Structure formats: structure tokens, C-alpha cells
Amino acid sequence: MLPVGFAAFLAFGVVLVLVGANQADLATALGMDLSRSGLLGAAVALGAGTGVTAAGPLVDRFPRRPLFVAALLVAALALLTLGHNVSFWQAFAHLVLLGMGAGFYDTLLNAVVIRESGAHAAKPLALLHAGATAGAVAGPPLIGWLARVGDWTWSFHATGAIFVLLAAWASWVRLPAPPKRAAAHAGDRIFTLPLLALAVVGFAYVGVETAVTLFAVPWAHTLLVLPPARGQMAISTFWLGLLGGRLAMLGLGRSLGTRFLAAAGIGGALILAAALWARIPQLELVTLASGLALGAVYPVMIALAGAEFPFASGTAAGLVAGAGALGGFAIPWMTGALGDAVGLGAGLATSSLWCLAITAAAFALARMRRAPAPER
């Protein structure tokens, strides 16, 4: 399972940077300002939020291989049918559908790893999600090359072809069956304050991840007066930092938890705030450092969700990831709207505040986990 899972996350990583790496060409083709650029990029997150949330109950109950293949084919369909003559809202709909397919198999693969590894799932999840970061690192240069050879649609169609190949591969892979006893009546036990705290972490983290990815090109071009190619490279180095942060988890001898999440949020906030205040021109180093600080947040968050709710790990992971995808939709749109209203620097500066929200939610979760269970 791990090879096809890693490859699927590799493709997911490319999906996450498709709009950001093509931002300049898409803005010209679709007549977009910053607000609409943020909204278009957030369409993937909106679809992913639907996919990851809907997948949870399904992967806890039904055979997983046909669900995996179907999700890959949905993503392929969304990409292969996107052409030159689309309007903004048609492109938005395609990207929502793309996000739904990718988000669905994200939850499915997370649930499989949590089921097999239990309380020790953070490290295998980090390895699996390293595929997404590797795809996001390699994606922007390849996307830029395809745009120079052809146009912006080439990278979308090439990624769609990859999803078709993945679906063919997945149709031959054996995936473990869902638990025999589905958590059909566990909803009242899932919707708790710990889940809310993890949802805040997901909302803030994915929002920052998406905003930095989407606005790295205008950050370079508008704020620092650098070529757009520097912004594309900054996207790659950001995801390289995320990859480094996730791989670093594998060398640690202990499980990472709430203290780590709190420290990661503080680190990300300080790096982004300092870079924007000082207008540091070495944008690639800034995004690399912020990626390193935040890299392990997502797999640790998913592992904590699985450990907190072992009776319905797929549902819990899906809900937390769904909150993350909601942040990936809302925060870039708000960042772009603020950028249009008061300047891009002010809009991007809110990313530091969202990093601090990760820290606050992690501290709250730690207090909840230390509190004694109420007597019944």
C-alpha cells in the first residue's frame, strides 16, 4: 500500500501548487485580481474539504480499493476536461471537483495508516505526507517548463494523465478492510472539545500553507520587485522546508504531540512576521525556514485525531482534515481581499496570526488531555 499511497500523495502535492505556480498566466487568461486569484486557488481546498469530510464515514464502513480508484478518476476527470476557453467560474468548478477527489483519498490513506499503526501513526503518516511535499517541491519548476513549452493547460492535463495511471495501479493494490464494527453511533463521542481544538489547528495550518503557496509569486513581484520566477522558486523551497520538517520527525525517538504543535506555530509566526516587516529579499530562504518550522504540523495533527478517537479514526481524521480544507479556502480568500484593500503586505501578515492560532489551540488541547475524565 505504501508505494501507491506515496505516489498518490506525490500527485496531491502537484495539485496543491498548480494554481500558485500558474498564477501569473491564470490571472492574465481569466482577468483575475488578487482576491480572485486567492478564491480560485482556494477552490481546491473547498473541494478537498468536501472530499476529506465525506470520506471519513465511508472508509470506516466500505471496501477501500474501489473508493480509492474512484477518487483518483474523479481528480483525473476534473483536470483532463479543463481547457483554454473556460470562464473563471468554470475553472473554479473544475478545481473544486479536483479537490474532492484528492481530498477523498487523502482521508482514505490516512485512515489505513492510523488503523495499522495506532498510537504510533505520526511517523508513518509523516513518511506518507512527505510524498505531497516532494510533489509540491518538484511541481513549480516542471509547471513553469510546461507553460514555456506550451501553455498553462499543459500542466493540468499532464497531472490528469498521472491520475489515470495511478487509478490503474490502485486497481491492483490490496488495501486492508475497514473495521468489522463500524462506529455507527459514535458521532456524539466525536464532537468534543478536543476535536474542536484539532480542527482549529487544521484550519489555521492549511490556510497558511495555501496562502503562502498562492501568493508567493505576487509576494516576490509586488512586494520585493523580483521576477515572478523567484516566486515560483519560493513555492518550491517552502514545500522543501515542509518536506524537511516531516522527514526530521522520522529521526526523533519519541512521539510528537501538543508541545510540538505549539512550538511550530510560534516558529512559523516569528519567521513570517520578521520577513514581511523587514522586506527580506531572500524570499526562497524565508519560505524554506517557515516550511521547516511548520512541516510536521499536519501529520502530527492527523495522528492525534486518530489517537483521540480510535473507534472511528477515518471519521475523526476526515473531520479534522475537513476543517483544514475550510481554512485553505477561507484564509487565502481573506488574504487576497485584504491585499486588494490595504496592500499585499498587510494581507500576508495575517499568516503570522494564524500560526499563533495553532499554538493557542495546541495549548488548549494539552490542557484538555491532562484534565481528569468526568465521572459517570
Side-chain angles (χ1 to χ4, degrees), residues 235-333:
I235 296 173
S236 287
T237 57
F238 176 61
W239 284 89
L240 181 62
L242 293 175
L243 176 61
R246 291 172 185 179
L247 293 179
M249 287 178 59
L250 304 179
L252 297 177
R254 57 186 178 84
S255 297
L256 300 179
T258 53
R259 289 184 180 179
F260 173 82
L261 292 180
I266 292 172
L270 290 175
I271 292 166
L272 290 170
L276 288 162
W277 178 77
R279 291 291 194 270
I280 295 175
Q282 292 80 17
L283 182 58
E284 297 89 343
L285 294 180
V286 169
T287 56
L288 175 68
S290 58
L292 283 168
L294 296 169
V297 168
Y298 195 90
V300 170
M301 174 192 77
I302 294 295
L304 286 173
E308 196 74 29
F309 308 100
F311 51 85
S313 58
T315 301
L319 288 170
V320 172
L326 180 61
F329 174 78
I331 290 175
W333 176 78

Side-chain angles (χ1 to χ4, degrees), residues 139-150:
L142 293 173
I143 290 167
W145 176 75
L146 286 170
R148 290 190 296 272
V149 172

Side-chain angles (χ1 to χ4, degrees), residues 1-11 64-70 72-73 76 105 109 128 160-175:
M1 187 280 293
L2 279 177
V4 70
F6 186 87
F9 270 99
L10 195 71
R64 288 158 172 176
R65 182 167 62 183
L67 293 175
F68 188 22
V69 172
L72 292 165
L73 290 176
Y105 76 68
L109 293 171
L128 197 64
I162 290 171
F163 275 114
V164 172
L165 295 175
L166 283 171
W169 184 6
S171 66
W172 293 93
V173 172
R174 179 177 298 177
L175 294 177

Side-chain angles (χ1 to χ4, degrees), residues 347-362:
L348 284 169
T350 59
S351 295
S352 295
L353 300 178
W354 289 114
C355 287
L356 292 179
I358 295 173
T359 299

Side-chain angles (χ1 to χ4, degrees), residues 28 84 113 283 349 355:
T28 300
H84 291 97
V113 172
L283 182 58
C355 287

